[in-house]
Short mmCIF file of all heavy atoms in Angstrom, two decimals:
data_model
loop_
_atom_site.label_atom_id
_atom_site.label_comp_id
_atom_site.label_asym_id
_atom_site.label_seq_id
_atom_site.Cartn_x
_atom_site.Cartn_y
_atom_site.Cartn_z
N MET A 143 88.82 153.48 79.63
CA MET A 143 88.98 152.67 80.83
C MET A 143 89.77 151.42 80.47
O MET A 143 89.59 150.83 79.42
CB MET A 143 87.60 152.30 81.32
CG MET A 143 87.32 152.21 82.79
SD MET A 143 88.20 153.14 84.00
CE MET A 143 87.25 154.61 84.11
N LYS A 144 90.64 151.03 81.36
CA LYS A 144 91.49 149.87 81.17
C LYS A 144 91.28 148.91 82.34
O LYS A 144 91.04 149.34 83.46
CB LYS A 144 92.96 150.31 81.13
CG LYS A 144 93.95 149.21 80.90
CD LYS A 144 95.37 149.78 80.79
CE LYS A 144 96.37 148.67 80.58
NZ LYS A 144 97.73 149.19 80.46
N THR A 145 91.35 147.62 82.05
CA THR A 145 91.27 146.61 83.10
C THR A 145 92.63 145.95 83.22
O THR A 145 93.20 145.50 82.21
CB THR A 145 90.21 145.54 82.77
OG1 THR A 145 88.94 146.18 82.64
CG2 THR A 145 90.15 144.47 83.84
N THR A 146 93.16 145.90 84.42
CA THR A 146 94.44 145.26 84.68
C THR A 146 94.24 144.22 85.77
O THR A 146 93.58 144.49 86.77
CB THR A 146 95.49 146.30 85.13
OG1 THR A 146 95.62 147.29 84.13
CG2 THR A 146 96.84 145.64 85.37
N ILE A 147 94.82 143.04 85.56
CA ILE A 147 94.71 141.95 86.52
C ILE A 147 96.11 141.57 86.98
O ILE A 147 96.99 141.32 86.15
CB ILE A 147 94.01 140.73 85.90
CG1 ILE A 147 92.63 141.13 85.38
CG2 ILE A 147 93.90 139.60 86.93
CD1 ILE A 147 91.98 140.08 84.50
N PHE A 148 96.31 141.53 88.30
CA PHE A 148 97.58 141.12 88.87
C PHE A 148 97.39 139.84 89.66
O PHE A 148 96.41 139.70 90.39
CB PHE A 148 98.14 142.17 89.83
CG PHE A 148 98.54 143.46 89.18
CD1 PHE A 148 97.86 144.62 89.46
CD2 PHE A 148 99.61 143.51 88.32
CE1 PHE A 148 98.23 145.82 88.89
CE2 PHE A 148 100.00 144.71 87.73
CZ PHE A 148 99.30 145.86 88.02
N ARG A 149 98.33 138.92 89.55
CA ARG A 149 98.38 137.76 90.45
C ARG A 149 99.18 138.21 91.67
O ARG A 149 100.20 138.89 91.54
CB ARG A 149 99.06 136.58 89.75
CG ARG A 149 98.92 135.29 90.52
CD ARG A 149 99.27 134.08 89.66
NE ARG A 149 100.55 134.19 89.02
CZ ARG A 149 101.69 133.70 89.52
NH1 ARG A 149 101.69 133.08 90.68
NH2 ARG A 149 102.81 133.83 88.86
N VAL A 150 98.69 137.85 92.85
CA VAL A 150 99.34 138.29 94.08
C VAL A 150 99.63 137.12 95.00
O VAL A 150 98.98 136.08 94.93
CB VAL A 150 98.49 139.35 94.83
CG1 VAL A 150 98.32 140.60 94.01
CG2 VAL A 150 97.14 138.78 95.23
N GLU A 151 100.62 137.32 95.85
CA GLU A 151 100.95 136.34 96.89
C GLU A 151 100.73 137.01 98.24
O GLU A 151 100.96 138.21 98.39
CB GLU A 151 102.40 135.90 96.76
CG GLU A 151 102.67 135.12 95.50
CD GLU A 151 104.14 134.73 95.35
OE1 GLU A 151 105.00 135.31 96.05
OE2 GLU A 151 104.42 133.86 94.51
N GLY A 152 100.29 136.24 99.21
CA GLY A 152 100.14 136.76 100.56
C GLY A 152 98.74 137.26 100.88
O GLY A 152 98.51 137.78 101.96
N MET A 153 97.81 137.11 99.95
CA MET A 153 96.43 137.52 100.19
C MET A 153 95.69 136.28 100.68
O MET A 153 95.30 135.43 99.90
CB MET A 153 95.81 138.07 98.91
CG MET A 153 94.42 138.62 99.09
SD MET A 153 93.79 139.47 97.61
CE MET A 153 93.68 138.12 96.44
N ASP A 154 95.52 136.18 102.02
CA ASP A 154 94.92 134.96 102.54
C ASP A 154 93.69 135.19 103.41
O ASP A 154 93.17 134.24 104.00
CB ASP A 154 95.96 134.13 103.28
CG ASP A 154 96.67 134.92 104.36
OD1 ASP A 154 96.19 136.00 104.74
OD2 ASP A 154 97.71 134.44 104.83
N CYS A 155 93.24 136.43 103.51
CA CYS A 155 92.02 136.68 104.27
C CYS A 155 91.40 138.00 103.83
O CYS A 155 91.98 138.77 103.07
CB CYS A 155 92.30 136.69 105.77
SG CYS A 155 93.27 138.09 106.33
N GLY A 156 90.23 138.26 104.36
CA GLY A 156 89.50 139.47 104.01
C GLY A 156 90.20 140.76 104.42
O GLY A 156 89.96 141.81 103.82
N GLU A 157 91.05 140.68 105.43
CA GLU A 157 91.76 141.89 105.86
C GLU A 157 92.68 142.43 104.76
O GLU A 157 92.78 143.64 104.57
CB GLU A 157 92.56 141.61 107.12
CG GLU A 157 91.68 141.40 108.33
CD GLU A 157 92.47 141.07 109.58
OE1 GLU A 157 93.71 141.09 109.55
OE2 GLU A 157 91.82 140.79 110.59
N GLU A 158 93.36 141.54 104.04
CA GLU A 158 94.20 141.99 102.94
C GLU A 158 93.36 142.59 101.81
O GLU A 158 93.74 143.58 101.21
CB GLU A 158 95.07 140.86 102.38
CG GLU A 158 96.28 140.54 103.22
CD GLU A 158 96.01 139.44 104.23
OE1 GLU A 158 94.91 138.88 104.25
OE2 GLU A 158 96.94 139.16 105.02
N ILE A 159 92.21 141.99 101.54
CA ILE A 159 91.32 142.53 100.50
C ILE A 159 90.89 143.94 100.87
O ILE A 159 90.94 144.85 100.04
CB ILE A 159 90.11 141.61 100.29
CG1 ILE A 159 90.56 140.28 99.67
CG2 ILE A 159 89.06 142.29 99.42
CD1 ILE A 159 89.50 139.22 99.60
N GLU A 160 90.48 144.14 102.11
CA GLU A 160 90.08 145.48 102.55
C GLU A 160 91.25 146.46 102.50
O GLU A 160 91.08 147.63 102.15
CB GLU A 160 89.45 145.43 103.94
CG GLU A 160 88.08 144.78 103.94
CD GLU A 160 87.11 145.41 102.95
OE1 GLU A 160 87.01 146.65 102.90
OE2 GLU A 160 86.47 144.65 102.21
N ALA A 161 92.44 146.00 102.85
CA ALA A 161 93.62 146.87 102.80
C ALA A 161 93.94 147.27 101.35
O ALA A 161 94.32 148.42 101.09
CB ALA A 161 94.82 146.16 103.43
N ILE A 162 93.78 146.35 100.42
CA ILE A 162 94.00 146.66 99.00
C ILE A 162 92.99 147.70 98.55
O ILE A 162 93.35 148.70 97.91
CB ILE A 162 93.91 145.39 98.14
CG1 ILE A 162 95.11 144.48 98.42
CG2 ILE A 162 93.84 145.74 96.65
CD1 ILE A 162 94.98 143.07 97.86
N ARG A 163 91.74 147.48 98.87
CA ARG A 163 90.69 148.45 98.48
C ARG A 163 90.96 149.82 99.09
O ARG A 163 90.84 150.84 98.42
CB ARG A 163 89.32 147.93 98.90
CG ARG A 163 88.85 146.78 98.06
CD ARG A 163 87.44 146.38 98.39
NE ARG A 163 87.04 145.29 97.51
CZ ARG A 163 86.39 144.22 97.90
NH1 ARG A 163 86.02 144.09 99.17
NH2 ARG A 163 86.07 143.28 97.04
N ALA A 164 91.36 149.84 100.35
CA ALA A 164 91.63 151.11 101.03
C ALA A 164 92.82 151.84 100.40
O ALA A 164 92.78 153.07 100.24
CB ALA A 164 91.89 150.87 102.52
N SER A 165 93.85 151.10 100.03
CA SER A 165 95.03 151.76 99.46
C SER A 165 94.77 152.32 98.07
O SER A 165 95.44 153.25 97.64
CB SER A 165 96.22 150.79 99.41
OG SER A 165 96.03 149.79 98.43
N LEU A 166 93.77 151.79 97.38
CA LEU A 166 93.45 152.28 96.04
C LEU A 166 92.28 153.26 96.03
O LEU A 166 92.04 153.93 95.02
CB LEU A 166 93.14 151.10 95.11
CG LEU A 166 94.37 150.27 94.76
CD1 LEU A 166 93.97 148.89 94.28
CD2 LEU A 166 95.20 150.97 93.70
N ALA A 167 91.58 153.39 97.14
CA ALA A 167 90.40 154.25 97.20
C ALA A 167 90.73 155.72 96.94
O ALA A 167 89.92 156.45 96.38
CB ALA A 167 89.71 154.11 98.56
N SER A 168 91.92 156.14 97.32
CA SER A 168 92.29 157.55 97.16
C SER A 168 92.94 157.86 95.82
O SER A 168 93.30 159.00 95.56
CB SER A 168 93.23 157.95 98.29
OG SER A 168 94.45 157.22 98.18
N VAL A 169 93.07 156.86 94.95
CA VAL A 169 93.71 157.08 93.66
C VAL A 169 92.66 157.55 92.65
O VAL A 169 91.74 156.79 92.32
CB VAL A 169 94.40 155.80 93.15
CG1 VAL A 169 95.05 156.04 91.79
CG2 VAL A 169 95.43 155.31 94.15
N ASN A 170 92.80 158.79 92.20
CA ASN A 170 91.88 159.30 91.18
C ASN A 170 92.07 158.48 89.91
O ASN A 170 93.18 158.27 89.46
CB ASN A 170 92.15 160.77 90.88
CG ASN A 170 91.72 161.67 92.01
OD1 ASN A 170 90.80 161.34 92.75
ND2 ASN A 170 92.39 162.79 92.16
N GLY A 171 90.96 158.01 89.36
CA GLY A 171 91.01 157.26 88.12
C GLY A 171 90.85 155.76 88.30
O GLY A 171 90.68 155.04 87.33
N VAL A 172 90.90 155.28 89.53
CA VAL A 172 90.62 153.86 89.78
C VAL A 172 89.13 153.77 90.09
O VAL A 172 88.66 154.33 91.07
CB VAL A 172 91.46 153.29 90.95
CG1 VAL A 172 91.02 151.87 91.26
CG2 VAL A 172 92.93 153.34 90.61
N SER A 173 88.40 153.06 89.24
CA SER A 173 86.95 153.02 89.40
C SER A 173 86.45 151.72 90.00
O SER A 173 85.33 151.66 90.51
CB SER A 173 86.26 153.26 88.05
OG SER A 173 86.65 152.29 87.11
N LYS A 174 87.26 150.66 89.93
CA LYS A 174 86.81 149.38 90.48
C LYS A 174 88.00 148.58 90.97
O LYS A 174 89.04 148.51 90.31
CB LYS A 174 86.06 148.59 89.41
CG LYS A 174 85.49 147.27 89.91
CD LYS A 174 84.70 146.56 88.81
CE LYS A 174 84.19 145.23 89.30
NZ LYS A 174 83.49 144.50 88.25
N VAL A 175 87.83 147.96 92.13
CA VAL A 175 88.84 147.07 92.70
C VAL A 175 88.14 145.77 93.08
O VAL A 175 87.20 145.79 93.86
CB VAL A 175 89.51 147.68 93.96
CG1 VAL A 175 90.51 146.71 94.55
CG2 VAL A 175 90.14 149.02 93.64
N ASP A 176 88.58 144.68 92.50
CA ASP A 176 88.01 143.37 92.83
C ASP A 176 89.16 142.44 93.17
O ASP A 176 90.06 142.23 92.36
CB ASP A 176 87.21 142.82 91.64
CG ASP A 176 86.56 141.49 91.96
OD1 ASP A 176 86.05 141.33 93.08
OD2 ASP A 176 86.58 140.60 91.10
N ALA A 177 89.14 141.90 94.38
CA ALA A 177 90.18 140.98 94.81
C ALA A 177 89.55 139.60 95.00
O ALA A 177 88.58 139.47 95.74
CB ALA A 177 90.82 141.46 96.10
N ASN A 178 90.10 138.60 94.32
CA ASN A 178 89.60 137.23 94.40
C ASN A 178 90.58 136.42 95.24
O ASN A 178 91.68 136.11 94.79
CB ASN A 178 89.45 136.66 92.99
CG ASN A 178 88.83 135.29 93.00
OD1 ASN A 178 89.20 134.43 93.80
ND2 ASN A 178 87.90 135.07 92.09
N LEU A 179 90.14 136.07 96.43
CA LEU A 179 91.00 135.37 97.38
C LEU A 179 91.42 134.00 96.86
O LEU A 179 92.59 133.64 96.92
CB LEU A 179 90.24 135.23 98.71
CG LEU A 179 91.03 134.85 99.94
CD1 LEU A 179 92.09 135.88 100.25
CD2 LEU A 179 90.08 134.71 101.12
N LEU A 180 90.48 133.23 96.34
CA LEU A 180 90.79 131.87 95.88
C LEU A 180 91.70 131.85 94.67
O LEU A 180 92.58 131.00 94.56
CB LEU A 180 89.50 131.10 95.59
CG LEU A 180 88.62 130.83 96.81
CD1 LEU A 180 87.33 130.15 96.39
CD2 LEU A 180 89.35 130.02 97.84
N ALA A 181 91.51 132.79 93.76
CA ALA A 181 92.34 132.85 92.55
C ALA A 181 93.63 133.61 92.77
O ALA A 181 94.50 133.60 91.91
CB ALA A 181 91.55 133.48 91.40
N ALA A 182 93.74 134.30 93.91
CA ALA A 182 94.91 135.13 94.23
C ALA A 182 95.14 136.18 93.15
O ALA A 182 96.25 136.40 92.68
CB ALA A 182 96.15 134.28 94.44
N LYS A 183 94.05 136.85 92.76
CA LYS A 183 94.12 137.88 91.72
C LYS A 183 93.43 139.14 92.16
O LYS A 183 92.43 139.10 92.88
CB LYS A 183 93.48 137.38 90.42
CG LYS A 183 94.26 136.28 89.76
CD LYS A 183 93.66 135.92 88.44
CE LYS A 183 94.51 134.81 87.80
NZ LYS A 183 93.99 134.42 86.51
N VAL A 184 93.96 140.27 91.70
CA VAL A 184 93.36 141.57 91.92
C VAL A 184 93.07 142.16 90.55
O VAL A 184 93.96 142.24 89.70
CB VAL A 184 94.30 142.50 92.72
CG1 VAL A 184 93.71 143.90 92.83
CG2 VAL A 184 94.58 141.93 94.09
N THR A 185 91.81 142.53 90.33
CA THR A 185 91.39 143.12 89.06
C THR A 185 91.05 144.58 89.31
O THR A 185 90.28 144.90 90.21
CB THR A 185 90.15 142.38 88.52
OG1 THR A 185 90.46 140.99 88.37
CG2 THR A 185 89.72 142.95 87.17
N LEU A 186 91.65 145.44 88.49
CA LEU A 186 91.45 146.88 88.64
C LEU A 186 90.91 147.46 87.34
O LEU A 186 91.39 147.11 86.26
CB LEU A 186 92.78 147.56 88.96
CG LEU A 186 93.56 147.01 90.15
CD1 LEU A 186 94.93 147.63 90.21
CD2 LEU A 186 92.79 147.25 91.42
N GLU A 187 89.93 148.34 87.45
CA GLU A 187 89.49 149.15 86.32
C GLU A 187 89.96 150.56 86.60
O GLU A 187 89.71 151.09 87.70
CB GLU A 187 87.98 149.09 86.16
CG GLU A 187 87.50 147.75 85.65
CD GLU A 187 86.01 147.71 85.37
OE1 GLU A 187 85.37 148.78 85.32
OE2 GLU A 187 85.49 146.60 85.21
N HIS A 188 90.64 151.15 85.63
CA HIS A 188 91.28 152.45 85.87
C HIS A 188 91.51 153.20 84.58
O HIS A 188 91.46 152.62 83.48
CB HIS A 188 92.61 152.24 86.60
CG HIS A 188 93.55 151.35 85.84
ND1 HIS A 188 94.46 151.84 84.92
CD2 HIS A 188 93.71 150.00 85.84
CE1 HIS A 188 95.14 150.82 84.41
NE2 HIS A 188 94.70 149.69 84.95
N ASP A 189 91.79 154.49 84.73
CA ASP A 189 92.17 155.31 83.59
C ASP A 189 93.52 154.83 83.06
O ASP A 189 94.36 154.38 83.84
CB ASP A 189 92.31 156.78 84.00
CG ASP A 189 90.99 157.42 84.37
OD1 ASP A 189 89.93 156.90 83.98
OD2 ASP A 189 91.03 158.45 85.06
N GLU A 190 93.71 154.98 81.77
CA GLU A 190 94.97 154.56 81.17
C GLU A 190 96.15 155.42 81.60
O GLU A 190 97.30 155.02 81.45
CB GLU A 190 94.84 154.55 79.65
CG GLU A 190 93.89 153.46 79.18
CD GLU A 190 93.95 153.21 77.70
OE1 GLU A 190 95.03 153.40 77.10
OE2 GLU A 190 92.92 152.83 77.14
N SER A 191 95.86 156.57 82.19
CA SER A 191 96.94 157.47 82.62
C SER A 191 97.66 156.98 83.87
O SER A 191 98.73 157.46 84.21
CB SER A 191 96.38 158.86 82.87
OG SER A 191 95.43 158.82 83.93
N ILE A 192 97.09 156.01 84.58
CA ILE A 192 97.72 155.50 85.80
C ILE A 192 98.72 154.43 85.43
O ILE A 192 98.39 153.46 84.73
CB ILE A 192 96.66 154.93 86.76
CG1 ILE A 192 95.63 156.01 87.10
CG2 ILE A 192 97.31 154.40 88.03
CD1 ILE A 192 94.44 155.49 87.86
N SER A 193 99.94 154.59 85.89
CA SER A 193 101.01 153.66 85.50
C SER A 193 100.89 152.32 86.21
O SER A 193 100.36 152.22 87.32
CB SER A 193 102.38 154.27 85.79
OG SER A 193 102.65 154.23 87.19
N ARG A 194 101.41 151.31 85.58
CA ARG A 194 101.46 149.96 86.13
C ARG A 194 102.23 149.96 87.45
O ARG A 194 101.81 149.36 88.43
CB ARG A 194 102.14 149.03 85.11
CG ARG A 194 102.37 147.63 85.58
CD ARG A 194 103.13 146.84 84.49
NE ARG A 194 103.27 145.46 84.85
CZ ARG A 194 104.26 144.96 85.59
NH1 ARG A 194 105.20 145.76 86.04
NH2 ARG A 194 104.31 143.69 85.87
N ASP A 195 103.34 150.68 87.48
CA ASP A 195 104.16 150.73 88.70
C ASP A 195 103.42 151.37 89.86
O ASP A 195 103.55 150.95 91.00
CB ASP A 195 105.47 151.46 88.43
CG ASP A 195 106.42 150.65 87.56
OD1 ASP A 195 106.27 149.42 87.50
OD2 ASP A 195 107.30 151.27 86.94
N ASP A 196 102.62 152.42 89.58
CA ASP A 196 101.85 153.06 90.63
C ASP A 196 100.80 152.09 91.17
O ASP A 196 100.61 151.99 92.39
CB ASP A 196 101.20 154.34 90.13
CG ASP A 196 100.59 155.16 91.26
OD1 ASP A 196 101.10 155.08 92.39
OD2 ASP A 196 99.60 155.86 91.01
N LEU A 197 100.14 151.37 90.29
CA LEU A 197 99.16 150.39 90.73
C LEU A 197 99.81 149.30 91.59
O LEU A 197 99.28 148.94 92.65
CB LEU A 197 98.46 149.75 89.53
CG LEU A 197 97.56 150.68 88.71
CD1 LEU A 197 97.10 149.97 87.45
CD2 LEU A 197 96.38 151.16 89.53
N ILE A 198 100.95 148.80 91.15
CA ILE A 198 101.65 147.77 91.91
C ILE A 198 102.03 148.30 93.29
O ILE A 198 101.82 147.63 94.31
CB ILE A 198 102.90 147.27 91.15
CG1 ILE A 198 102.47 146.44 89.93
CG2 ILE A 198 103.80 146.45 92.07
CD1 ILE A 198 103.61 146.07 89.01
N SER A 199 102.56 149.50 93.35
CA SER A 199 102.95 150.09 94.63
C SER A 199 101.76 150.19 95.58
O SER A 199 101.88 149.85 96.76
CB SER A 199 103.53 151.49 94.43
OG SER A 199 104.73 151.41 93.72
N ARG A 200 100.64 150.61 95.06
CA ARG A 200 99.44 150.76 95.90
C ARG A 200 98.94 149.40 96.39
O ARG A 200 98.52 149.27 97.54
CB ARG A 200 98.33 151.46 95.12
CG ARG A 200 98.64 152.88 94.79
CD ARG A 200 98.71 153.73 96.05
NE ARG A 200 98.90 155.11 95.71
CZ ARG A 200 98.24 156.10 96.28
NH1 ARG A 200 97.39 155.87 97.25
NH2 ARG A 200 98.46 157.33 95.90
N VAL A 201 98.95 148.39 95.54
CA VAL A 201 98.52 147.05 95.94
C VAL A 201 99.46 146.51 97.01
O VAL A 201 99.03 145.94 98.02
CB VAL A 201 98.42 146.10 94.73
CG1 VAL A 201 98.22 144.66 95.16
CG2 VAL A 201 97.29 146.53 93.80
N GLU A 202 100.76 146.70 96.82
CA GLU A 202 101.73 146.13 97.75
C GLU A 202 101.75 146.83 99.11
O GLU A 202 102.18 146.24 100.10
CB GLU A 202 103.11 146.09 97.11
CG GLU A 202 103.18 145.04 96.00
CD GLU A 202 104.55 144.85 95.42
OE1 GLU A 202 105.38 145.78 95.46
OE2 GLU A 202 104.79 143.75 94.87
N VAL A 203 101.26 148.06 99.18
CA VAL A 203 101.13 148.75 100.47
C VAL A 203 100.24 147.94 101.41
O VAL A 203 100.40 147.99 102.63
CB VAL A 203 100.55 150.18 100.26
CG1 VAL A 203 100.00 150.76 101.54
CG2 VAL A 203 101.60 151.09 99.67
N ALA A 204 99.34 147.16 100.85
CA ALA A 204 98.40 146.37 101.64
C ALA A 204 99.04 145.12 102.25
O ALA A 204 98.37 144.38 102.96
CB ALA A 204 97.22 145.97 100.77
N GLY A 205 100.31 144.88 101.97
CA GLY A 205 100.99 143.74 102.57
C GLY A 205 101.01 142.49 101.73
O GLY A 205 101.37 141.42 102.21
N VAL A 206 100.62 142.60 100.47
CA VAL A 206 100.71 141.47 99.55
C VAL A 206 101.79 141.77 98.53
O VAL A 206 102.26 142.90 98.41
CB VAL A 206 99.35 141.19 98.84
CG1 VAL A 206 98.28 140.85 99.84
CG2 VAL A 206 98.93 142.36 97.97
N THR A 207 102.18 140.76 97.78
CA THR A 207 103.21 140.93 96.76
C THR A 207 102.62 140.64 95.40
O THR A 207 102.03 139.58 95.19
CB THR A 207 104.38 139.95 97.03
OG1 THR A 207 104.89 140.21 98.33
CG2 THR A 207 105.48 140.12 96.00
N VAL A 208 102.79 141.58 94.47
CA VAL A 208 102.37 141.36 93.10
C VAL A 208 103.43 140.52 92.42
O VAL A 208 104.62 140.82 92.48
CB VAL A 208 102.19 142.69 92.34
CG1 VAL A 208 101.94 142.46 90.86
CG2 VAL A 208 101.06 143.51 92.96
N VAL A 209 103.00 139.43 91.80
CA VAL A 209 103.92 138.57 91.08
C VAL A 209 104.28 139.28 89.79
O VAL A 209 103.41 139.59 88.97
CB VAL A 209 103.29 137.19 90.79
CG1 VAL A 209 104.24 136.32 89.99
CG2 VAL A 209 102.89 136.51 92.09
N ARG A 210 105.54 139.64 89.65
CA ARG A 210 105.98 140.39 88.48
C ARG A 210 105.69 139.62 87.20
O ARG A 210 105.70 138.40 87.17
CB ARG A 210 107.47 140.70 88.56
CG ARG A 210 107.85 141.50 89.79
CD ARG A 210 107.18 142.87 89.78
NE ARG A 210 107.75 143.73 90.80
CZ ARG A 210 107.02 144.40 91.69
NH1 ARG A 210 105.74 144.30 91.70
NH2 ARG A 210 107.60 145.17 92.57
N ASP A 211 105.42 140.36 86.16
CA ASP A 211 105.09 139.81 84.85
C ASP A 211 103.80 139.01 84.87
O ASP A 211 103.59 138.14 84.04
CB ASP A 211 106.24 138.95 84.29
CG ASP A 211 107.52 139.77 84.14
OD1 ASP A 211 107.43 140.95 83.76
OD2 ASP A 211 108.59 139.23 84.43
N SER A 212 102.91 139.32 85.84
CA SER A 212 101.65 138.61 85.90
C SER A 212 100.49 139.46 85.38
O SER A 212 99.36 139.04 85.38
CB SER A 212 101.33 138.20 87.35
OG SER A 212 101.08 139.35 88.14
N GLU A 213 100.80 140.67 84.91
CA GLU A 213 99.75 141.58 84.48
C GLU A 213 99.10 141.10 83.20
O GLU A 213 99.77 140.67 82.27
CB GLU A 213 100.32 142.97 84.25
CG GLU A 213 99.32 143.94 83.66
CD GLU A 213 99.95 145.25 83.27
OE1 GLU A 213 101.09 145.53 83.67
OE2 GLU A 213 99.30 145.97 82.53
N THR A 214 97.80 141.18 83.16
CA THR A 214 97.07 140.99 81.91
C THR A 214 96.16 142.20 81.75
O THR A 214 95.72 142.78 82.74
CB THR A 214 96.23 139.70 81.91
OG1 THR A 214 95.32 139.75 83.00
CG2 THR A 214 97.10 138.47 82.02
N ALA A 215 95.90 142.59 80.55
CA ALA A 215 95.06 143.74 80.31
C ALA A 215 93.94 143.35 79.36
O ALA A 215 94.10 142.50 78.50
CB ALA A 215 95.88 144.88 79.70
N ALA A 216 92.80 143.99 79.55
CA ALA A 216 91.65 143.75 78.68
C ALA A 216 91.29 145.03 77.99
O ALA A 216 91.54 146.10 78.45
CB ALA A 216 90.48 143.22 79.49
#
């Protein structure tokens, strides 16, 4: 399992958080989605087989923008 954290722009209410969770709910291998409104960060726990680009695409479907080069991994 891998943890990836993205800084995002445009996440300013609970609707975006729910949209992010919904867009990732159907992705096999994503086990946890945590969006922190105040920190403007999305933390994902997922299989290592899921690409960074796929995760970014899914997060951005929710109407927010992932700040490029903001990924951190644990």
